[in-house]
């Protein structure tokens, strides 16, 4: 049973977590900071990011003397914002030890600032671009947060709004496995999914659907801290290997403690990985 107590000392490491002002992202960043890491909270809302820095400092005040977390503005729905955030991170940190591509949306309608279907643009393309712009600074691990829902995705019609969340979460895994195939030895790519968790991920969903999911997560004891454990194990477990995919070990991978789980066969389709990679480079203008 792997828990937060198993996280090794992170003193001296620099970790960037997207969407770190709330939910699983906040708990991921908080736990890393509690073990001594310098944590960069990459968030869309400056005020919420600053508030998260304050909450984190209060929560960890008795457990660590790590440097104060750093907030960087990042709107994954805008490639201009992604480029600006990457430039700021590069200016402030000569090296990153960990990048956690955590931020995500579901059931969000419309398009991004660059005209991409919102869920594909935010969940995948924004993180693809951010990773590419920072890759030469990352000398550690890249962890991308997917979902059980990736099993319902198909590697086609990437910018269609139909079934967009499942497709975007499949893209997260295709990207992870495709990145490992292209790795030059500096960085190792892994993935994780939280199972169920009481987070704000369903804020754009219909009220009944949001309520049903939150009620089920509460009944199963799936707090954001529990949901963050698969990400944290991928990020810090010395025994983890390139391409590992972590999720809960319990019922239907919804509850339990983190272990290596199986991704769908579609996620391991090399042709699909390459097609998505080519498309992502063309759409974002970021080439690895």
């Amino acid at each position: 049973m792997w828990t937060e107590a198993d996280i090794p000392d992170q003193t001296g490491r620099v970790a960037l977590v997207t969407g770190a002002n709330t939910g699983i992202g906040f708990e991921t960043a908080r736990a890393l900071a509690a073990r001594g890491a310098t944590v960069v909270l990459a968030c869309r809302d400056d005020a919420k990011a600053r508030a998260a820095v304050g909450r984190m400092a209060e929560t960890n005040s008795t457990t660590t003397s790590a440097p104060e977390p750093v907030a960087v503005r990042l709107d994954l729905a805008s490639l201009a914002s992604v480029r600006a955030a990457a430039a700021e991170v590069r200016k402030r940190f000569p090296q990153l030890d960990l990048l956690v591509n955590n931020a995500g949306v579901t059931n969000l309608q419309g398009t991004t600032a660059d005209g991409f279907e919102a869920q594909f643009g935010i969940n995948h393309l924004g993180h693809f671009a951010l990773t590419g712009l920072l890759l030469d600074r990352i000398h550690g691990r890249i962890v991308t947060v997917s979902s059980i829902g990736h099993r319902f995705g198909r590697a086609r019609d990437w910018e269609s709004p139909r079934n967009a969340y499942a497709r975007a979460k499949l893209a997260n895994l295709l990207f992870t496995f495709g990145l490992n195939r292209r790795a030059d030895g500096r960085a190792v790519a892994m993935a994780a999914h939280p199972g169920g968790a009481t987070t704000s991920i369903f804020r754009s969903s219909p009220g009944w659907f949001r309520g049903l999911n939150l009620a089920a997560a509460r009944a199963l004891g799936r707090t954001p801290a529990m949901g963050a454990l698969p990400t944290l194990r991928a990020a810090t477990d010395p025994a983890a290997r390139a391409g590992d995919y972590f999720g809960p070990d319990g019922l239907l991978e919804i509850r339990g403690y983190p272990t290596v789980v199986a991704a769908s066969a579609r996620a391991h389709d090399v042709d699909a990985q390459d097609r998505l990679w080519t498309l992502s480079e063309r759409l974002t203008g970021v080439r690895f």
Side-chain angles (χ1 to χ4, degrees):
M1 184 176 72
W2 195 95
T3 71
E4 190 173 317
D6 293 300
I7 299 174
D9 181 31
Q10 300 295 297
T11 301
R13 302 187 79 212
V14 179
L16 187 155
V17 183
T18 69
N21 61 287
T22 188
I24 290 169
F26 176 81
E27 293 297 337
T28 298
R30 177 199 57 76
L32 292 169
R35 290 296 185 274
T38 297
V39 178
V40 181
L41 285 68
C43 310
R44 180 173 57 87
D45 189 303
D46 289 331
K48 291 180 179 179
R50 289 193 297 270
V53 168
R55 293 201 317 274
M56 197 174 299
E58 292 175 5
T59 303
N60 290 342
S61 61
T62 61
T63 61
T64 182
S65 58
E68 182 176 337
V70 175
V72 170
R73 187 176 187 279
L74 169 68
D75 182 357
L76 290 163
S78 163
L79 289 176
S81 176
V82 173
R83 290 182 182 277
E88 182 176 351
V89 171
R90 293 177 67 87
K91 182 178 179 180
R92 299 180 71 167
F93 299 99
Q95 177 174 316
L96 287 176
D97 300 281
L98 175 64
L99 170 63
V100 180
N101 292 321
N102 162 82
V105 295
T106 184
N107 285 317
L108 181 64
Q109 305 302 307
T111 58
T112 69
D114 304 285
F116 309 130
E117 189 281 319
Q119 294 171 85
F120 180 58
I122 294 169
N123 295 351
H124 169 65
L125 290 176
H127 282 130
F128 178 93
L130 181 68
T131 304
L133 292 167
L134 294 175
L135 188 60
D136 65 327
R137 295 292 175 93
I138 303 171
H139 293 257
R141 298 183 182 183
I142 298 163
V143 179
T144 299
V145 179
S146 183
S147 166
I148 298 171
H150 87 272
R151 296 182 177 278
F152 303 101
R154 299 291 187 276
R156 61 174 185 262
D157 302 327
W158 289 109
E159 296 190 76
S160 168
R162 183 179 181 184
N163 205 28
Y165 178 72
R167 216 168 32 247
K169 293 287 104 179
L170 174 60
N172 290 152
L173 288 173
L174 290 168
F175 169 52
T176 296
F177 300 144
L179 179 56
N180 263 327
R181 290 174 44 233
R182 294 165 171 80
D184 60 4
R186 283 197 305 265
V188 172
M190 304 176 187
H193 80 78
T198 53
T199 73
S200 59
I201 184 69
F202 296 107
R203 59 187 175 274
S204 299
S205 301
W208 68 268
F209 184 77
R210 181 171 63 251
L212 179 64
N213 277 274
L214 288 175
R218 288 193 187 99
L220 294 171
R222 296 301 294 177
T223 63
M226 285 295 294
L229 287 180
T231 300
L232 287 165
R233 184 165 190 181
T236 67
D237 186 350
R241 296 291 179 264
D244 279 352
Y245 177 41
F246 287 92
D249 62 3
L251 176 69
L252 301 175
E253 298 178 20
I254 295 173
R255 64 183 301 181
Y257 292 87
T259 189
V260 175
V261 296
S264 70
R266 295 189 191 102
H268 291 287
D269 184 328
V270 172
D271 288 340
Q273 293 168 16
D274 290 344
R275 291 195 303 272
L276 177 62
W277 194 280
T278 300
L279 175 66
S280 300
E281 288 192 331
R282 178 170 63 79
L283 293 177
T284 65
V286 176
R287 288 174 172 76
F288 286 59

